[in-house]
Amino acid sequence: MDAKTLAAKLVEQSLISDELAQKLSNEATSTGRSLEDIIYTRRLVDEVSVAEAKSVILNIPYQKVDALSIPEAVLKIVPENTARTYRVAPLSVTKDMAIIGMLNPDDPQAQDALRFIAKQNQVSLGVYIITPSDLEMIFRRYAPYQREIQEAVKSLNIKSSNLSAAQRVVSLDEVNATIDDAPIIKIVSSTLKAAVEQKASDIHIEPQRARLRIRFRLDGSLKEVASFPLELTQPIVSRVKILADLKIDENRIPQDGRFRTIIFGRDVDYRVATLPTPLGEKVVIRVLDPLSGLKDIKGLGLVGRNAEWVLAALDKPYGMVLVTGPTGSGKTTTLYAFLQMLNKEDVNIMSMEDPVEYFVDGVNQSQVKPEIGYSFASGLRQALRQDPDIIMVGEIRDGETAGLAVQAALTGHIVLSTLHTNNAAGIIPRLMDMGVAPFLLPSSLNILLAQRLVRRLCDNCKKPEEAPADIQKVIEAEISKLDPETRAKIQYQSPYKIYKSPGCDACKGKGTKGRIGLYEVMRMTRELEDIINSGATEGRVKDEGKRQGMISLRQDGIMKVLDGTISMEEVIRETAETS
């Protein structure tokens, strides 16, 4: 397939202009580079659109690939060297058929190589077009993270000592010794890619007494993924500091930074924080992958009545939407989901964050810096002078910020923010404790949310089983408390079944894959207004929530348990203090 044919198809699909197509075709001809390579390098058209255009031209279907779900036995059909040389990868194998993903299905040499493999394995061939990012993800299955870093460490020829940093005797010459940068760069690069591939939320680089430990936070739990000689602490930390534009020679005080790179065809941000310890600098890198971090309403876990109430609140022209929950419960992720829904060309969205997690096109994001006097309160004051329609305040921490947020909601702005309380009913008393006048709350508050974050069961290995007698009683008791309308929609009957997942290759033996939120949502009503004006307590507000038909955190969790989304153990643990 020549460059002009592909360019013409992209023009036909309105992905590029005629003028740009001509320039790209000429450049491909003059430089010898493929048109695809030029498009990907300059990020002119997304990979999927290019693959779909090629699919039409070559009459070969395009297939989206989940590299992690391809069994090890399937990968062995095509050797790694062959896969990398001809840009092909096995997707699935049956008794008579091998399905192969190809970047360039019209490449005669790749076709010959695959025919040879098919003949060896006595199978027929089926071919799909795949994207470069998906192909790269499959290549990483051939060369997993541990093997890459082992090879990099081996090339350094470091003799590891069992002595701790305090026990070792070093000469002054060691301070000035030089180390080849390439293996260190490889170790850090492989670590960052592996974190994205495994959907880790954080990377912990931690010097221990006799080694350097690297751990990933996966689905909320830390797991050790690599261990290095202690001598590699400084070079690895220095490499991370270079990427984050931090001071390499400053190791006495904490530093913060961030950087962005393109991994598997998408922008990924990394937020870096260093901390001095007696054994060396500990580094934590927050992985801000938009593919796993930015979700829609359904992806959050907001369903049914909860979703309806939230969408109705976001559709109002002004008012506050407050999300509450403990640290790490996903409040910021929820706010970002709301921002993406509200993010349109005809509105001005301002955000005050500490720190900015994800960069969102179309949103004017600002990071507060309390150390120089730029707090949420002062930032909110400035934001109100920027003609905003929607304002997101990362967290309401004090009375001044609370008062400004309420005033902004009263003067025609949608305000999104978070608080620290145990449940939705605690939001109103908390705002009153901060000094907000009670009579202002009914007019300014639209909706109150509380949430928790729990691990989602692996769809590949979860299996139903009848719940034990004590769990049956818990489920029955919570379902009986639901309002009749919600209870009527529940399709499951006693004896109730719950799900367990023992672990499999798809979830790497964990039994869980990703996380989902538990929610309770309360609306502002005339009855709630009367409670506020007559002296709101958490108990009285909670009673009003029951009258509204509010689904509690535990009830939302139990409905997700019966759907097979999460485990009962997770629900009981995360909602113990709210039941």
Side-chain angles (χ1 to χ4, degrees):
M1 179 177 57
D2 59 30
K4 289 185 178 179
T5 304
L6 178 57
K9 179 55 67 175
L10 295 175
V11 170
E12 181 185 323
Q13 296 180 348
S14 302
L15 296 171
I16 60 175
S17 65
D18 283 314
E19 183 181 358
L20 180 57
Q22 187 61 49
K23 287 182 179 179
L24 294 175
S25 297
N26 292 341
E27 182 177 346
T29 303
S30 61
T31 61
R33 295 173 63 193
S34 72
L35 180 66
E36 283 181 70
D37 185 35
I38 297 171
I39 288 173
Y40 294 146
T41 301
R42 299 182 185 175
R43 304 175 72 190
L44 299 171
V45 181
D46 66 271
E47 293 181 332
V48 173
S49 296
V50 174
E52 289 174 343
K54 289 165 60 179
S55 174
V56 174
I57 295 169
L58 299 173
N59 197 27
I60 296 173
Y62 158 69
Q63 176 70 46
K64 175 65 181 170
V65 179
D66 180 6
L68 296 178
S69 67
I70 300 175
E72 294 285 345
V74 172
L75 292 175
K76 293 176 181 177
I77 293 291
V78 179
E80 181 181 356
N81 287 340
T82 303
R84 291 184 180 275
T85 300
Y86 299 107
R87 313 291 285 167
V88 301
L91 305 182
S92 64
V93 176
T94 63
K95 183 179 179 181
D96 303 314
M97 175 76 72
I99 304 298
I100 307 294
M102 300 182 69
L103 198 60
N104 302 303
D106 54 342
D107 180 355
Q109 292 181 321
Q111 293 171 0
D112 289 342
L114 291 179
R115 287 193 196 99
F116 177 75
I117 290 171
K119 187 175 180 180
Q120 273 190 322
N121 291 277
Q122 297 181 340
V123 292
S124 302
L125 285 177
V127 173
Y128 284 106
I129 290 176
I130 59 176
T131 63
S133 296
D134 285 347
L135 185 64
E136 178 62 27
M137 287 287 283
I138 298 172
F139 286 167
R140 290 191 64 77
R141 292 289 309 280
Y142 282 108
Y145 170 55
Q146 284 79 5
R147 196 200 319 164
E148 289 185 352
I149 61 173
Q150 285 169 6
E151 291 173 356
V153 171
K154 205 177 289 183
S155 68
L156 290 168
N157 294 319
I158 288 180
K159 295 181 180 178
S160 181
S161 170
N162 291 325
L163 298 177
S164 69
Q167 293 171 313
R168 284 188 297 111
V169 178
V170 298
S171 67
L172 294 177
D173 290 338
E174 286 184 4
V175 177
N176 298 319
T178 59
I179 297 177
D180 184 9
D181 286 340
I184 298 300
I185 291 172
K186 182 68 172 175
I187 289 170
V188 174
S189 173
S190 297
T191 301
L192 297 175
K193 289 181 179 179
V196 173
E197 180 185 9
Q198 296 180 33
K199 295 182 171 58
S201 61
D202 300 88
I203 304 167
H204 289 245
I205 302 174
E206 305 165 314
Q208 305 295 294
R209 289 185 63 82
R211 64 193 179 104
L212 176 67
R213 177 175 69 178
I214 293 186
R215 295 190 292 172
F216 289 172
R217 187 172 292 280
L218 302 165
D219 295 342
S221 301
L222 283 170
K223 177 185 177 184
E224 184 170 331
V225 295
S227 180
F228 301 101
L230 197 59
E231 291 86 350
L232 292 186
T233 300
Q234 185 178 351
I236 288 176
V237 170
S238 294
R239 175 60 184 165
V240 173
K241 284 183 170 183
I242 289 170
L243 290 172
D245 198 23
L246 301 179
K247 295 178 181 177
I248 300 175
D249 57 348
E250 180 56 84
N251 53 20
R252 301 164 299 170
I253 59 174
Q255 296 187 70
D256 294 308
R258 68 188 299 155
F259 62 94
R260 171 181 289 190
T261 187
I262 299 172
I263 293 183
F264 308 133
R266 59 184 183 269
D267 288 349
V268 178
D269 286 285
Y270 296 92
R271 198 175 74 229
V272 179
T274 69
L275 181 74
T277 75
L279 298 174
E281 286 183 280
K282 170 180 166 60
V283 180
V284 174
I285 306 172
R286 171 62 57 87
V287 183
L288 302 169
D289 180 3
L291 192 66
S292 56
L294 296 177
K295 301 180 182 296
D296 56 17
I297 287 282
K298 188 176 180 182
L300 292 172
L302 275 166
V303 294
R305 175 179 293 176
N306 285 346
E308 291 172 10
W309 285 4
V310 168
L311 292 172
L314 293 174
D315 200 39
K316 293 183 178 180
Y318 62 88
M320 294 180 73
V321 174
L322 294 181
V323 183
T324 186
T327 300
S329 60
K331 300 186 297 295
T332 303
T333 300
T334 297
L335 290 187
Y336 273 110
F338 295 166
L339 274 186
Q340 289 187 102
M341 289 179 54
L342 297 168
N343 188 8
K344 299 174 184 175
E345 188 179 349
D346 58 350
V347 294
N348 178 23
I349 303 178
M350 305 289 298
S351 79
M352 303 292 114
E353 304 175 52
D354 183 21
V356 174
E357 295 274 350
Y358 297 94
F359 291 109
V360 181
D361 285 339
V363 177
N364 303 289
Q365 298 169 272
S366 181
Q367 179 167 324
V368 301
K369 296 182 179 178
E371 65 273 14
I372 61 172
Y374 184 43
S375 62
F376 279 121
S378 59
L380 183 50
R381 255 194 213 94
Q382 294 301 320
L384 289 169
R385 296 171 186 166
Q386 294 287 321
D387 184 32
D389 299 294
I390 300 162
I391 304 171
M392 185 180 98
V393 181
E395 184 183 344
I396 295 177
R397 296 175 178 171
D398 52 59
E400 185 181 8
T401 307
L404 287 168
V406 167
Q407 290 297 331
L410 289 171
T411 52
H413 305 90
I414 295 175
V415 179
L416 312 176
S417 192
T418 69
L419 273 174
H420 279 287
T421 66
N422 283 334
N423 50 44
I427 291 177
I428 290 171
R430 176 72 176 130
L431 290 173
M432 293 167 66
D433 288 343
M434 286 182 170
V436 178
F439 69 89
L440 296 176
L441 293 176
S443 302
S444 58
L445 288 174
N446 282 350
I447 205 156
L448 316 173
L449 290 85
Q451 71 176 82
R452 297 292 186 273
L453 207 55
V454 296
R455 290 174 291 186
R456 185 193 291 265
L457 292 175
C458 173
D459 289 330
N460 192 59
C461 62
K462 67 181 181 184
K463 296 177 181 177
E465 61 179 46
E466 189 169 313
D470 56 338
I471 298 299
Q472 293 277 353
K473 290 179 181 178
V474 172
I475 294 173
E476 187 62 51
E478 292 298 332
I479 289 178
S480 66
K481 296 176 189 176
L482 292 168
D483 68 287
E485 182 184 343
T486 304
R487 196 163 57 240
K489 293 179 181 177
I490 296 179
Q491 302 172 354
Y492 308 100
Q493 302 295 326
S494 179
Y496 299 103
K497 291 187 180 296
I498 60 176
Y499 287 75
K500 296 279 181 75
S501 50
C504 62
D505 289 341
C507 61
K508 293 182 169 56
K510 296 183 304 200
T512 59
K513 205 169 183 183
R515 292 190 285 178
I516 193 170
L518 306 182
Y519 289 89
E520 64 181 22
V521 181
M522 184 182 297
R523 298 183 295 179
M524 179 55 65
T525 60
R526 185 175 294 277
E527 290 80 5
L528 184 53
E529 180 179 353
D530 293 339
I531 291 171
I532 293 171
N533 289 330
S534 62
T537 63
E538 187 171 325
R540 293 185 68 196
V541 175
K542 191 177 288 186
D543 289 341
E544 165 58 16
K546 292 178 181 177
R547 189 203 65 79
Q548 292 181 15
M550 179 185 77
I551 299 168
S552 71
L553 288 167
R554 176 160 286 192
Q555 289 166 345
D556 186 43
I558 283 174
M559 287 192 283
K560 289 183 169 77
V561 167
L562 297 177
D563 286 338
T565 305
I566 58 179
S567 70
M568 191 65 190
E569 291 82 1
E570 289 274 298
V571 173
I572 292 173
R573 183 177 67 250
E574 290 297 329
T575 62
E577 83 286 3
T578 65
S579 58

